[in-house]
Amino acid sequence: MLTPAPRPLPNSKPNLLLFTLTVWLGLFCWTGTASAQFHFRDYLNKPKITPPEAIQAVAAKMVDAKTGQVLFERNPDQHLLPASTTKLMTALIVYEKLHGMNGSVTIVDDDRAEPSNIPVIPGETISVNTLFHALLIESANDSARALGRAVAGSTPAFIQMMNQRALALGCFNTHFNNPNGLPAPTGTHYTSCADLMVIFQHVLKYPELRKIMSTKEYTIRTQSGVHNLRNHNRLLGYYPGMGPAKTGWTVASRHTYACSVTLGGREILLTLLDSPNKWADAQILYNWAFSQQGGASISAPADSSEPAQ
């Protein structure tokens, strides 16, 4: 916040030097709002960067999207809970099986799910396009069940399809118990940052899915009403270059994340699992990675709380 210049005493002349110094300090000490962006080139040649080892996530992996070069990793093969990043595999399989987002799904009672949902109503018919937007923007758990069941015939059959695809992709540290990432019996639903990266990379091959995951808000209409979907990715429209991403959070998994940032023509992908604050961790890693070629940096949001997805 700008510091106001002191008022001159009655019958005294303003102190020009003091006024100038006050304004100068106000400008350079201003913290601004959390969304204020700055670029490294506007400040020092070598700004202070937090080392990537400072992140608090149990596991992480960061790679250059074009070259595949691993820029940073921590416990990349450790089995951890994916939460709603599970929906990346759901989206990948359904999109490929349907050859896009054509058609519609008639909802059945088994499709309903809590807590993050549209909600769907048994008997209504919803377009696949609508369900995909709810799945990847609002992280709707009922959308995941409806899409999976529609493709495989039943939710158990789709879960089997998910596990088969994981093995086919070489994701040997991954096993799914449901299509949405909600809590499951211990040891039945897990992935690793390395496996999640592989799944994320396959999803990013499809421009339609990239576009949905980069959409901040989207309105849908179903039998339950008009719903304004809001992307759970808080860094979308906040961190420079933030693109497609999928978030996740439950009490047991803590924060999970798969995201893409493109700056200066370079795309860098990141997966995080079991983080107390994925927003801060992601920015530490991206600031560090892009500082080596003159990227951008902003401060992390103070509030790391998030609805269970």
Side-chain angles (χ1 to χ4, degrees):
M1 169 181 305
L2 288 176
T3 304
R7 291 185 178 180
L9 295 173
N11 301 320
S12 67
K13 295 182 178 180
N15 187 321
L16 181 60
L17 177 61
L18 180 59
F19 175 81
T20 302
L21 179 61
T22 302
V23 172
W24 185 89
L25 287 173
L27 287 172
F28 284 87
C29 295
W30 176 65
T31 57
T33 62
S35 62
Q37 300 177 6
F38 67 84
H39 298 278
F40 290 141
R41 64 177 178 273
D42 295 333
Y43 290 84
L44 304 178
N45 292 328
K46 297 182 67 176
K48 182 179 179 181
I49 300 297
T50 303
E53 293 77 14
I55 66 168
Q56 299 182 69
V58 171
K61 184 163 186 172
M62 173 176 266
V63 304
D64 184 294
K66 183 177 181 180
T67 67
Q69 177 189 2
V70 177
L71 306 177
F72 176 82
E73 61 182 9
R74 171 187 289 174
N75 301 321
D77 299 319
Q78 184 170 340
H79 293 186
L80 293 165
L81 303 176
S84 278
T85 58
T86 297
K87 296 182 176 81
L88 289 170
M89 179 63 96
T90 299
L92 177 63
I93 294 174
V94 174
Y95 190 87
E96 291 180 340
K97 291 293 183 182
L98 297 179
H99 304 288
M101 297 187 294
N102 303 310
S104 59
V105 177
T106 298
I107 302 302
V108 301
D109 189 69
D110 188 55
D111 295 334
R112 294 191 295 182
E114 298 289 346
S116 179
N117 56 27
I118 290 177
V120 297
I121 297 177
E124 72 172 318
T125 298
I126 304 177
S127 71
V128 169
N129 183 284
T130 293
L131 290 171
F132 258 102
H133 279 82
L135 176 77
L136 296 175
I137 297 176
E138 189 68 30
S139 200
N141 293 310
D142 48 8
S143 288
R145 292 183 67 87
L147 287 169
R149 177 192 56 78
V151 164
S154 69
T155 299
F158 184 71
I159 295 168
Q160 183 178 9
M161 193 178 289
M162 294 173 73
N163 288 320
Q164 290 173 344
R165 186 61 191 278
L167 292 175
L169 291 175
C171 298
F172 303 122
N173 293 304
T174 294
H175 189 273
F176 297 109
N177 180 266
N178 60 61
N180 47 38
L182 287 174
T186 302
T188 66
H189 196 96
Y190 55 84
T191 192
S192 69
C193 270
D195 285 2
L196 184 58
M197 179 65 72
V198 171
I199 297 167
F200 188 44
Q201 288 171 317
H202 277 76
V203 171
L204 293 180
K205 292 179 180 179
Y206 299 105
E208 281 188 302
L209 299 184
R210 291 182 70 108
K211 181 179 180 180
I212 294 175
M213 290 189 291
S214 302
T215 299
K216 198 168 183 67
E217 292 190 9
Y218 189 86
T219 301
I220 63 171
R221 181 185 296 273
T222 68
Q223 192 171 315
S224 59
V226 176
H227 307 281
N228 187 28
L229 310 177
R230 292 181 175 85
N231 202 309
H232 290 190
N233 182 15
R234 295 184 184 181
L235 298 187
L236 181 61
Y238 171 47
Y239 191 91
M242 175 57 69
K246 186 70 198 75
T247 68
W249 186 90
T250 65
V251 173
S253 71
R254 301 200 297 175
H255 287 270
T256 66
Y257 204 20
C259 60
S260 164
V261 169
T262 301
L263 285 173
R266 186 187 189 192
E267 183 179 19
I268 295 179
L269 310 180
L270 171 65
T271 54
L272 291 171
L273 292 174
D274 201 348
S275 169
N277 186 339
K278 59 174 165 265
W279 319 118
D281 281 348
Q283 289 176 97
I284 286 172
L285 289 172
Y286 277 119
N287 287 349
W288 167 77
F290 283 112
S291 69
Q292 300 177 57
Q293 61 173 39
S297 170
I298 49 180
S299 57
D303 181 13
S304 65
S305 63
E306 180 178 332
Q309 300 172 26

